[in-house]
Each structure stands twice: as C-alpha cells, then as structure tokens.
Amino acid sequence: MSDSAPRRVRVRAPELIGKGGWLNTGEKQYSLADLRGRIVILDFWTFCCINCLHVLDELRALEHQHRDTVVVIGVHSPKFVHEAEHAAVVDAVERYGVEHPVLDDPELATWKQYAVRAWPTLVVIDPEGYVVAQHAGEGHVHAIERLVTELEAEHEAKGTLRRGDGPYVAPEPEPTVLRFPGKALLLPSGNFLVSDTTRHQLVELAADGESVVRRIGSGRRGFEDGSADAASFSEPQGLAPLPDGSVAVADTVNHAVRRYDPESGRTTTLAGTGEQWMQGDATSGPAREVNLSSPWDLAHWNGEVWIAMAGVHQLWTYDPQEGTVSVAAGTTNEGLVDGPTDEAWFAQPSGLAATPDRLWLADSETSALRWVDLHGTVHTAVGTGLFDFGHRDGTAEQALLQHPLGVTALPDGSVAVSDTYNHALRRFDPATGEVTTLATDLREPSDAVLVGDDIVVVESARHRLTRLRLPEEAVKVASVAHRTQRAATEVAPGELRLDVVFQAPAGQKLDTRYGPSTRLLVSSTPPELLLDGEGEGAGTDLSRVLRLDPAVGEGVLHVSAMAASCDDAPENEYPACHVHQQDWGVPVRLVEGGADRLPLVLAGMDPDRSDQ
C-alpha cells in the first residue's frame, strides 16, 4: 500500500459469544484468537430476512476465491421468537446452503457488542483482530472484495497473514425424500408437484403424497433449461398452473420464473435474466430482459401470472400473451401501507392465492394477511406492522400471526394461512372477520393444497406433506403476543439528529450526474411519535433533524436510506455504478438525558465506536 493511502481506524474486535453455540464446525467452539491471521467477515443475519439471504448468495463467490485467507462467520441474530430456537437455526443453515461456520446468538449478545442495528450487517476484521469496515444492507460485496485484496497484500508483507483451510465442517446429509420443500401443487392427474427447495429440484409425488414418480432437475444449483435430467434450479419455491397445462415455477435464487411442462418433462425460462434486480434497473419490458428479485410465489389471476417479489417487497405480473413483466403493486419500501397499488407498501410477500375477486397474499415480515381487489386497491385483513406478531385468535383487529409464508383459498370463501413460525394452520373468514386455528404442531408449514375435503400441508421442516381433515371446529389455543425484542435506544425527547453514515468505498465517489445521489425516508410506529421530520427527502447528505413527541414515550423509527456511488476513474468513460440501500427499524425510548443524535451506518466505520 502507498504512503498516501488513508490510514484505517483500528478498533479491537469484541469477542464472539452466543448462547446457542457454533454450527458447521464439527462441534468445535471458536474464539477470535483461534482465527488470528485470517481475514474474518462477520455476517449478522436472521433467516426470515430476504436481504440476509441475498447476502448469503453474494458471499459465495468471495468465499470460494479467497478460501485460504478469508473466514466468513455467520452470526445468527433473531428477529422473531421462533428464530431464537436452536433447532430452527440448525434447519435454516442447511435449508439455505450456508457453507461457513455460524454462531447462534439467540440473546443478541454479539449483535450488541458490535453495535449492529440492522439485518444484514457485514463487519470485516483484519488478521490482527481489528475491525476495519462495517456495512449495513446488501450489495457491498464488491467493496469488501477490494478491501480483502488490500488486506491480503498488507498483511502478507507484514507477515501477519496466515493461509490455510478454514474451520468449516460440512454436516452429514439426511436421506429424506424431500428436503425443506417450499410449495406444492395438485396436478390434473391427482399427483402432487412439490418444490424440493434445498435440493434444487421439483418432485412429482403420487396421490399418497409420499411415493416419488419423478424428479425434475439435476439437483445441482444452476440455471439451465432442458430435459428433466439436464435442467437446473436454485432454491425453487412457488408453483402455479398455467392455462396450457404447464406450470410456472418461482426459481427464487436464480431470480427467474421458469416453465415446466409435465407432458414433455422440459423446463424453459419465462422471465428473468438470472441477475438480481437493483435500484435503477428496468421495472417493465420483455420478460427475458428484465431482472427480477427473489420471486417467492406465483398465482394465475385475471389472465396474468402474479409474482410475489419478496426481494423488493412488491408484486409484479407476467403477461403470457405479450411475454412481458411489469411492477403491479408496491414501492420497494418495506412496511404495511394499504391503498392504491402504486402507493402500497409490502414486506417480503411470500404466498399468493387467487379467487375470482381477490388476490390473497401472505406478507411475511409484517406477519400479515392482505389482499388486492379488482379495482387495484390493497387491503389488510390481519396484521399491524413489522414488529408485532404472535399466536392469537379472535377478530381480525385482535388476531396475530408469526411470519406466514402461504395462503390457500377454501371453498366457502375463507382462506387457510400457513402460519409458519407458529407451526400452525390458521383460517380467516371474511364474512365474520374472525381468525381461528385449524391445526397446530406442524413444523414450519409453508404452503397447503386443497384436496377434496382434506387439506395437504407442506411441513417444510419435517420434509414431508401432511394430510389433514378440515375440522368443523377450530382448535383452541392460548393467546400469545410478541413484539420484536431488541434493546431500545434511549433518546432525548424533542429534537433528535438522525445521521446515516455513508462513506463511498475506496475508488468510488457519490454519483451526482443525474441529480441527488442519496435518498432518506423516515416514518414511525406509532405515527404520533414523529412530530416533524417524516417523509422523503433527497440531497447530498443523509442527515435530518427529527422532532419526537415526549407524550408518546416509546416506539419504532423506520428509516430507509439509499446512496449511489460510481467508480472514480476519470479515464473510464463508462464507470461501474452501485446502489447502497438499507431499511432500519430502531426501537427508541424517550428519556431525559438520552442521546440527541442517532447514527446509523450504511457503509463505513461506526462513528461512535472507540478502541476496546
């Protein structure tokens, strides 16, 4: 490194602690001292979070290219109650193909030590044990890879770099017919088609729901069209029948919609390029030329295929006649806002079900059941927002769900909800506005299919389909309500300065060629908390003065920030540009003497951290 290179802040990395212990290490426990000499990347994630899953995919290439110098450590930091269960974390690590050590931190001990405020957050630690970078959100791997290359050269020269195999130990594979299946579909033959998500396949099962008729896909993660043996998928999820007898497939990690023809056994691609949609990309056009983002479920409604685009908190449509895709609802802002489709907010829509007059959707991160009407208006049947969840029956206003992933239309006009993190099947009746529980003790149900008088549930974490008789009376369960458990930040009542800290990665600068390069959007729960500073603003910085109502006392500040940067090379006529975006939900408590400034790190070092 040259003498003119800026000196990095040297901050001693806190120890890694987690009550749940270590996974993917062959039961060995690790400390930072054991990793000295390696470049360590901490990935603070939780398995409900689609942005966290995107980062897992972004890290795969970096892990492979720098496998003898870099150790990625996943620090699992739960949002939902279910995510604090150790067995659920074990399942998630296998489900999403995590091939690095994971520290299970159910009490957020390491999260607090590193002053993390958002999922996902990446922290880079150099070979001498110092924190050198912190990035919130996805899309930062290009900057981290450049930093890794610099650290390799610097510490090779100093003699402080230690090369060799990492601590990852692969778990033994389990011999089950299905492995974390996602969604299911009843074929005209009476057989079931199931997305065998973790094995990157589709599986046709006989009418008994157990016997394998055939497998579709090579079983290797990939993006290839072709015959049943040659085609490849990457964590497929949703399935929807098409009028021509074929099936549309949400190929989630390939960011694509595929078409499977049961007659020929061939798979082709309907929509998507294989690349993830990012801010600034096209939102409509020829389906094979437009990027998508983690399509999770599909439904054929009013002549179009509706796509639950979990990765950008929107609904899109695919027009089979025109061969085009376009945004149908949502703004990409994460939250629960009803109204016209172009103003509504969603939070990781993950399940769809069509009836003649409604498109139902399971909005997983808001633990909500919602629907779109024929006039283009979005409504909420059950759910209040990002931070309230639980298992409570009763009227729609009182009822609570916990991260549902599936919804199924029933013959009487009601809907069954696969209430995933409550391990339950719930029912909402629009005629009465009541929510009841149909079945419990289902392990992470993610979808359900109506078969005559029975309902067949995809028990994802039990790796099977389970047939239930729809009961006349709902099962009675004790009411449980939760709010996301994160320590509230104590702030002073009145004025609070919000600073989103963004430092363009090395070799880049803010992109101001087409106007302001940043965006800041602020709201609160309850809305009364924020007296001034709400709404959206754009400019050359990411700061704003908020005014908080002392009469409210506590709540959650919702902050969405975006910054665009481009490679800073005057001789490059077409510099590569990158969009950095992150949403935060920050619990705050108003107390005299509390902080009058709230810093949130989008990219760069935490400005409030000192040597430890």
Side-chain angles (χ1 to χ4, degrees):
M1 297 180 65
S2 67
D3 293 338
S4 61
R7 183 181 179 185
R8 297 189 187 94
V9 178
R10 288 176 64 80
V11 177
R12 177 65 67 182
E15 189 53 83
L16 305 178
I17 52 176
K19 189 175 180 180
W22 289 81
L23 306 174
N24 281 356
T25 62
E27 300 186 355
K28 183 175 178 180
Q29 307 298 300
Y30 280 88
S31 68
L32 280 177
D34 299 323
L35 304 173
R36 195 62 50 82
R38 310 298 291 273
I39 300 165
V40 177
I41 300 174
L42 302 182
D43 175 18
F44 289 87
W45 71 297
T46 188
F47 63 78
C48 73
C49 163
I50 192 67
N51 309 93
C52 299
L53 303 187
H54 289 167
V55 168
L56 287 176
D57 297 322
E58 290 176 357
L59 287 170
R60 294 185 202 280
L62 186 148
E63 289 181 89
H64 177 74
Q65 293 167 9
H66 300 270
R67 57 185 175 274
D68 65 335
T69 59
V70 170
V71 175
V72 176
I73 303 291
V75 183
H76 188 266
S77 313
K79 171 187 174 182
F80 290 97
V81 171
H82 170 61
E83 293 172 313
E85 297 176 14
H86 183 70
V89 180
V90 173
D91 285 345
V93 167
E94 181 187 353
R95 182 196 300 269
Y96 297 116
V98 180
E99 296 185 351
H100 52 246
V102 173
L103 175 64
D104 182 11
D105 183 19
E107 297 177 346
L108 303 181
T110 297
W111 165 287
K112 295 170 185 174
Q113 286 292 312
Y114 282 82
V116 175
R117 293 187 185 275
W119 298 277
T121 291
L122 296 172
V123 175
V124 182
I125 302 172
D126 73 13
E128 294 179 288
Y130 291 92
V131 174
V132 292
Q134 181 171 321
H135 300 266
E138 56 183 288
H140 298 295
V141 170
H142 62 279
I144 290 176
E145 185 162 19
R146 180 178 296 182
L147 175 58
V148 164
T149 301
E150 293 177 2
L151 290 172
E152 286 174 337
E154 175 185 344
H155 289 274
E156 189 89 77
K158 291 174 65 175
T160 50
L161 185 70
R162 176 168 58 89
R163 296 179 181 269
D165 293 334
Y168 170 68
V169 177
E172 289 293 324
E174 296 287 342
T176 54
V177 171
L178 302 173
R179 204 68 192 162
F180 298 104
K183 306 287 185 180
L185 176 71
L186 185 66
L187 296 171
S189 65
N191 290 350
F192 295 95
L193 186 67
V194 184
S195 54
D196 198 14
T197 304
T198 299
R199 294 206 177 112
H200 314 297
Q201 290 180 318
L202 309 180
V203 178
E204 184 178 341
L205 299 178
D208 62 8
E210 298 178 3
S211 306
V212 176
V213 176
R214 58 177 161 176
R215 293 183 177 273
I216 301 96
S218 65
R220 297 182 298 275
R221 189 190 293 272
F223 189 19
E224 298 290 335
D225 289 341
S227 65
D229 293 334
S232 57
F233 303 89
S234 187
E235 299 182 28
Q237 289 281 349
L239 306 167
L242 299 177
D244 64 1
S246 63
V247 177
V249 182
D251 195 6
T252 304
V253 177
N254 278 328
H255 311 293
V257 177
R258 316 289 291 280
R259 176 183 177 272
Y260 167 63
D261 182 0
E263 288 295 322
S264 67
R266 295 188 64 81
T267 296
T268 54
T269 299
L270 293 177
T273 65
E275 297 296 323
Q276 182 186 342
W277 186 94
M278 303 297 284
Q279 288 287 348
D281 287 354
T283 55
S284 64
R288 294 290 305 273
E289 300 175 14
V290 177
N291 296 337
L292 309 181
S293 183
S294 299
W296 206 276
D297 203 9
L298 307 166
H300 192 269
W301 190 54
N302 287 338
E304 295 182 307
V305 177
W306 285 68
I307 307 168
M309 202 74 77
V312 286
H313 317 298
Q314 290 180 313
L315 303 180
W316 288 41
T317 54
Y318 166 74
D319 186 331
Q321 300 300 318
E322 300 295 329
T324 57
V325 292
S326 60
V327 174
T331 65
T332 75
N333 291 315
E334 184 179 13
L336 192 154
V337 176
D338 289 339
T341 52
D342 60 349
E343 298 176 7
W345 291 20
F346 301 97
Q348 215 167 299
S350 301
L352 298 175
T355 64
D357 61 344
R358 295 185 182 189
L359 180 71
W360 292 96
L361 65 125
D363 204 28
S364 62
E365 280 293 285
T366 53
S367 297
L369 173 66
R370 306 177 72 185
W371 52 283
V372 183
D373 66 25
L374 293 171
H375 304 293
T377 302
V378 178
H379 309 261
T380 297
V382 181
T384 59
L386 286 164
F387 300 97
D388 294 300
F389 56 90
H391 191 157
R392 185 163 67 199
D393 287 343
T395 64
E397 295 78 12
Q398 298 173 322
L400 292 172
L401 309 170
Q402 186 180 179
H403 198 80
L405 291 179
V407 59
T408 306
L410 300 179
D412 64 354
S414 65
V415 290
V417 179
S418 295
D419 193 6
T420 309
Y421 287 3
N422 280 327
H423 309 300
L425 188 68
R426 314 286 291 283
R427 175 178 174 265
F428 171 69
D429 185 351
T432 64
E434 292 283 326
V435 175
T436 54
T437 298
L438 298 177
T440 57
D441 194 30
L442 300 168
R443 189 70 183 170
E444 291 193 21
S446 55
D447 196 18
V449 180
L450 195 64
V451 184
D453 292 332
D454 294 343
I455 192 164
V456 174
V457 180
V458 179
E459 278 200 90
S460 187
R462 284 201 177 109
H463 320 292
R464 70 187 188 190
L465 304 186
T466 298
R467 185 181 295 262
L468 303 172
R469 177 57 56 95
L470 285 173
E472 294 181 5
E473 294 292 333
V475 176
K476 302 297 182 183
V477 297
S479 296
V480 180
H482 299 288
R483 177 172 281 269
T484 300
Q485 293 301 306
R486 281 185 287 158
T489 299
E490 293 189 345
V491 299
E495 289 192 351
L496 174 69
R497 181 176 180 83
L498 170 66
D499 288 322
V500 175
V501 180
F502 176 77
Q503 179 179 337
Q508 294 182 25
K509 64 179 181 180
L510 285 174
D511 178 20
T512 57
R513 293 171 299 166
Y514 305 109
S517 59
T518 62
R519 185 187 71 181
L520 183 62
L521 181 66
V522 182
S523 60
S524 67
T525 302
E528 297 77 20
L529 172 66
L530 202 53
L531 294 174
D532 191 32
E534 185 177 13
E536 185 169 357
T540 57
D541 60 35
L542 288 165
S543 298
R544 186 179 300 177
V545 175
L546 312 178
R547 195 157 60 89
L548 307 181
D549 187 349
V552 174
E554 62 179 345
V556 177
L557 292 176
H558 307 284
V559 181
S560 178
M562 184 273 286
S565 63
C566 291
D567 290 345
D568 186 12
E571 69 280 4
N572 187 352
E573 185 177 359
Y574 303 104
C577 297
H578 311 276
V579 174
H580 314 269
Q581 184 172 6
Q582 177 61 28
D583 298 323
W584 291 267
V586 183
V588 294
R589 182 179 300 112
L590 277 58
V591 298
E592 293 296 336
D596 60 4
R597 177 175 176 262
L598 177 62
L600 300 175
V601 178
L602 178 59
M605 282 297 302
D606 187 331
D608 285 353
R609 183 173 291 284
S610 57
D611 286 359
Q612 298 184 34

